[in-house]
Amino acid sequence: MSNLLKDELRRVGRRPQASALEEHIVDEAPLPLAQTMTVETLRAYEAALSKLSDDQREVVVMRVELGMAHDEIAAATESPSANAARMRVARALADLARNMSEFKD
Amino acid sequence: MSATASNVTPLHADPLLKWTARLAEGLPIDWTQAAADLSPALLASLRQVAALAGSFAVAADAPQGIGPLGVGSTVGDLRIAAVLGEGSYGTVYRAHDERLDRDVALKVFKGGHRQELLREGQLLARIDHPNVLKVYGAVETDSLIGFVSELLPGESLERWLGRQGKLSASEITTIGGELCAALCALHQGNIVHGDLKPANVLRHRDGRWVVADFGSSQYANDPLGASGTPLYMAPERFTSTAVTASADQYSLGVLLFYLAARSYPYSAETVIDLKAQHRKGERRRLMDLRPDLPRLQIDAIERALAVDPKKRHSSCGNFAAALHAAPRHRVPPLMAVATAAAVVLAAAIWWPVATPEAHRTEWLRTSSDQGVEILSSGATARVGDALALHLTLTDRRYVYVINEDLAGARYKLFPLATSTLKNPLDAGSYRLPDSALDWRITSRGGREHFFVLLSDEPISSEHFQSAQQAALDAPGEGLYAFEPTRGVGGLAPATSEPDAQWLAALKARHRNLEVRRFELINP
């Protein structure tokens, strides 16, 4: 898969829309399992994402946004194995979370 | 001496990494435990990342992910797989019971009387009847309550009826008899359905009629409620809060009247008018509308519609006996339902309804402003939109997707050399071209045909000789083309047109070839 196509997929593809997400937010007592995402969260995510290295950003987008499997990510990023890709994703997500907590401050 | 000088942090040394590793795996997070491990700020961020992952997954799987429970989340032993439908009472999900390893339907109620629903769930779980949807029990968490039931392959009576012509006496008796039996079983179990109507009756793929959608009797006190189907409500329900077995019989009478006449006994547009008509006995008579039906059958249905409950059949069993006493005319066998309706809108479904047809095809469109949607008639398509095919196979098939434009140029959209999916595909659900790619609309054209070929044997590439491979790595190259459409047109089964020569040749060669054909029409 070319980088161009990945960018294209990311741009037009699966990104949740803020307006659609707002409808997810229920006005009654929210269910604990409800997965809601606010515009604020999306903004924090974008900011945190931009602070990651290119490689890390790539695996986050592949895993989180495109829902790619670890073996697909391994193939796309030339990781030695699915397990290696798994660790890269976990580390990138940890750094993403750290960046997001900074964004809040 | 240890010689490890790694710049890689081991898992246990970084508590955050331990949790993101679970996220990366798509595993649930134990938030109590995570709270003990992490600072409040990091915990909040982890929650956000988890929500992001869930929301993107939902967006990617939409429209399956609408509703309060995210796809992939769990309730007790149940893992949510998809949203099947939404109604005023709540949302119905397809879920997998991980402990018992079976697919079930979960109906989550919006509000309602918790104790009442729990009790009703327990009562329903005791009922085991072929014409009653099998309820396994109720699930309860702090914030939700739901019924777990069997996942029934079929469709609603309402939808089925939409494709039928005039029903024969025999068909009415068959449906009426089975629904009477269902009500008898419920009444014997001390349950009153309270909301019998075509949308709440399912037709099992094997032809059986099954009563579903329980847990609505809570609305019995509210004749004008949003759920209200006053035309199906027995007259006494407008003055009394008690819902009785006799009221169910009345609803069934209305339902059968409607099946026979395609209109309701009363024509009122407001509840006030309706009550007045009840009082005066002003209503349509089945005899006027269907004089061809046997007299005994008309009488049986009319009797169930008596305003005075005492004048109705003394029980649903007696209602059934009266229906069956009527002669059954010889009727042509029911047509097998050949559903070309690949365009199934989940939101229109009231209760768990799995695929009525064998293999199932659904075209999904992803656009920058609408997100993901199932294409239906009248859908507009624009340059930049992405198409994908959701395919559910009941057995192994060689799958080919061909796009033909107005000029007759053909493009093979699947399989592609770059697809991770390879023919043959085993039974199961797939997203084509594969999990991470879409077919993208990159230029304009006129009128487009899409052919999904499902074959039990490989199809020789010679048949696709003139077909070009869609070029995945060159998004600028126009996979296929059509004019942006608006209003009229859209994706519709196109069955009336003669087969193109190449398709006719293909069918002659492959006897068991199944072709799903769709058309995008430009006004």
Side-chain angles (χ1 to χ4, degrees):
Chain A
M1 193 168 31
S2 73
N3 278 321
L4 186 60
L5 182 61
K6 268 184 297 192
D7 288 347
E8 184 68 8
L9 276 173
R10 179 162 187 256
R11 190 173 58 74
V12 190
R14 325 282 176 67
R15 296 179 70 67
Q17 303 298 308
S19 59
L21 291 162
E22 275 156 356
E23 286 162 20
H24 279 232
I25 301 166
V26 287
D27 49 6
E28 304 150 49
L31 301 171
L33 290 163
Q35 286 175 326
T36 61
M37 182 160 53
T38 61
V39 179
E40 191 62 22
T41 303
L42 266 179
R43 208 168 285 145
Y45 167 70
E46 288 294 349
L49 196 65
S50 70
K51 282 193 223 161
L52 293 179
S53 70
D54 288 351
D55 287 352
Q56 284 196 316
R57 191 181 313 121
E58 186 176 47
V59 295
V60 168
V61 169
M62 284 182 188
R63 180 68 193 145
V64 173
E65 295 191 29
L66 300 179
M68 288 167 71
H70 293 297
D71 54 355
E72 294 174 303
I73 296 175
T77 60
E78 289 161 26
S79 283
S81 67
N83 267 330
R86 194 171 276 128
M87 270 321 292
R88 289 180 64 175
V89 171
R91 282 179 210 290
L93 288 177
D95 288 351
L96 181 78
R98 284 195 191 91
N99 290 348
M100 284 177 79
S101 68
E102 283 167 23
F103 178 83
K104 259 181 275 184
D105 299 335
Chain B
M1 198 173 82
S2 166
T4 51
S6 171
N7 60 351
V8 176
T9 324
L11 265 183
H12 56 82
D14 183 350
L16 180 58
L17 193 54
K18 181 174 90 184
W19 294 110
T20 55
R22 286 188 71 81
L23 270 187
E25 283 301 297
L27 295 169
I29 303 276
D30 179 346
W31 291 107
T32 319
Q33 191 59 47
D37 280 349
L38 303 170
S39 71
L42 272 185
L43 182 72
S45 296
L46 183 66
R47 278 188 185 278
Q48 286 187 322
V49 173
L52 279 162
S55 295
F56 276 111
V58 165
D61 288 340
Q64 300 184 330
I66 38 173
L69 296 177
V71 168
S73 64
T74 54
V75 184
D77 294 325
L78 305 180
R79 182 169 290 278
I80 303 299
V83 175
L84 290 174
E86 279 187 281
S88 53
Y89 305 137
T91 309
V92 182
Y93 300 89
R94 181 159 59 77
H96 187 74
D97 187 323
E98 309 221 304
R99 197 162 52 89
L100 298 173
D101 190 24
R102 64 180 175 189
D103 286 328
V104 298
L106 169 66
K107 179 169 189 173
V108 173
F109 294 100
K110 276 182 202 157
H113 303 287
R114 176 169 288 255
Q115 288 312 317
E116 222 167 85
L117 284 171
L118 276 180
R119 195 181 52 85
E120 194 171 350
Q122 285 165 357
L123 290 174
L124 281 166
R126 291 185 206 145
I127 293 177
D128 189 10
H129 190 277
N131 300 115
V132 177
L133 188 77
K134 182 67 194 156
V135 172
Y136 300 129
V139 289
E140 184 189 21
T141 73
D142 286 347
S143 56
L144 65 84
I145 187 157
F147 288 174
V148 184
S149 77
E150 70 177 307
L151 193 65
L152 196 90
E155 63 183 329
S156 74
L157 170 59
E158 188 175 41
R159 185 185 296 180
W160 177 84
L161 206 53
R163 292 196 308 273
Q164 306 303 313
K166 198 157 86 170
L167 295 190
S168 69
S170 178
E171 286 170 299
I172 294 164
T173 296
T174 301
I175 298 171
E178 291 190 27
L179 298 185
C180 277
L183 290 181
C184 287
L186 287 171
H187 295 164
Q188 199 189 24
N190 285 322
I191 295 163
V192 175
H193 188 285
D195 193 20
L196 192 69
K197 57 185 176 183
N200 293 343
V201 174
L202 306 178
R203 183 176 193 272
H204 192 285
R205 208 152 54 190
D206 67 14
R208 187 159 48 100
W209 295 98
V210 178
V211 170
D213 215 336
F214 313 103
S216 45
S217 55
Q218 53 178 318
Y219 289 88
N221 299 346
D222 181 15
L224 294 168
S227 65
T229 35
L231 289 171
Y232 282 91
M233 283 170 55
E236 69 271 19
R237 287 185 60 187
F238 294 97
T239 51
S240 161
T241 55
V243 188
T244 60
S246 179
D248 274 351
Q249 184 194 137
Y250 180 92
S251 300
L252 178 54
V254 177
L255 191 150
L256 296 181
F257 189 104
Y258 183 78
L259 290 190
R262 297 298 171 94
S263 67
Y264 295 101
Y266 294 93
S267 58
E269 284 179 6
T270 68
V271 173
I272 292 168
D273 287 350
L274 185 61
K275 284 162 88 171
Q277 290 176 4
H278 285 158
R279 249 193 332 271
K280 296 179 202 157
E282 278 173 11
R283 69 170 173 88
R284 301 187 181 105
R285 301 288 161 180
L286 194 49
M287 180 72 91
D288 291 326
L289 300 165
R290 285 294 301 269
D292 59 306
L293 292 178
R295 179 64 197 259
L296 284 172
Q297 185 174 46
I298 291 175
D299 287 349
I301 295 171
E302 292 279 5
R303 186 168 172 189
L305 294 172
V307 171
D308 181 356
K310 290 202 250 349
K311 291 187 178 159
R312 295 178 200 149
H313 301 280
S314 57
S315 70
C316 282
N318 279 320
F319 189 2
L323 281 172
H324 285 293
R328 298 166 73 103
H329 290 302
R330 202 183 126 70
V331 290
L334 283 179
M335 291 265 293
V337 183
T339 355
V343 185
V344 176
L345 279 176
I349 304 172
W350 268 92
W351 190 270
V353 174
T355 55
E357 69 269 51
H359 307 295
R360 174 166 155 167
T361 48
E362 269 178 3
W363 286 91
L364 299 186
R365 186 260 302 272
T366 306
S367 58
S368 53
D369 52 345
Q370 301 293 319
V372 185
E373 61 192 320
I374 298 177
L375 277 184
S376 58
S377 192
T380 57
R382 286 159 306 187
V383 171
D385 286 358
L387 292 186
L389 178 69
H390 263 205
L391 176 69
T392 302
L393 296 173
T394 54
D395 54 18
R396 173 187 269 223
R397 281 288 179 273
Y398 290 83
V399 178
Y400 304 86
V401 183
I402 305 294
N403 163 229
E404 189 177 43
D405 67 15
L406 191 57
R410 260 171 285 142
Y411 301 88
K412 189 164 79 174
L413 301 182
F414 184 87
L416 296 168
T418 47
S419 305
T420 52
L421 289 171
K422 303 285 182 214
N423 270 325
L425 301 179
D426 287 322
S429 289
Y430 300 91
R431 183 186 191 282
L432 302 186
D434 68 29
S435 59
L437 294 175
D438 296 306
W439 294 301
R440 189 170 304 280
I441 299 162
T442 53
S443 54
R444 298 177 175 195
R447 179 184 171 116
E448 300 284 330
H449 291 278
F450 296 88
F451 302 91
V452 181
L453 311 180
L454 305 171
S455 171
D456 57 354
E457 53 193 354
I459 296 176
S460 159
S461 59
E462 70 188 71
H463 291 285
F464 305 131
Q465 248 170 17
S466 66
Q468 307 169 42
Q469 287 264 351
L472 264 186
D473 279 323
E477 285 297 310
L479 290 188
Y480 46 86
F482 49 82
E483 288 283 343
T485 61
R486 201 158 278 285
V488 193
L491 203 58
T495 48
S496 54
E497 296 209 2
D499 282 344
Q501 214 171 1
W502 67 275
L503 193 58
L506 210 56
K507 279 182 172 171
R509 187 150 177 167
H510 299 277
R511 285 291 176 80
N512 294 323
L513 179 67
E514 194 180 334
V515 180
R516 301 287 177 90
R517 184 152 81 164
F518 301 98
E519 201 178 353
L520 273 162
I521 306 152
N522 276 340

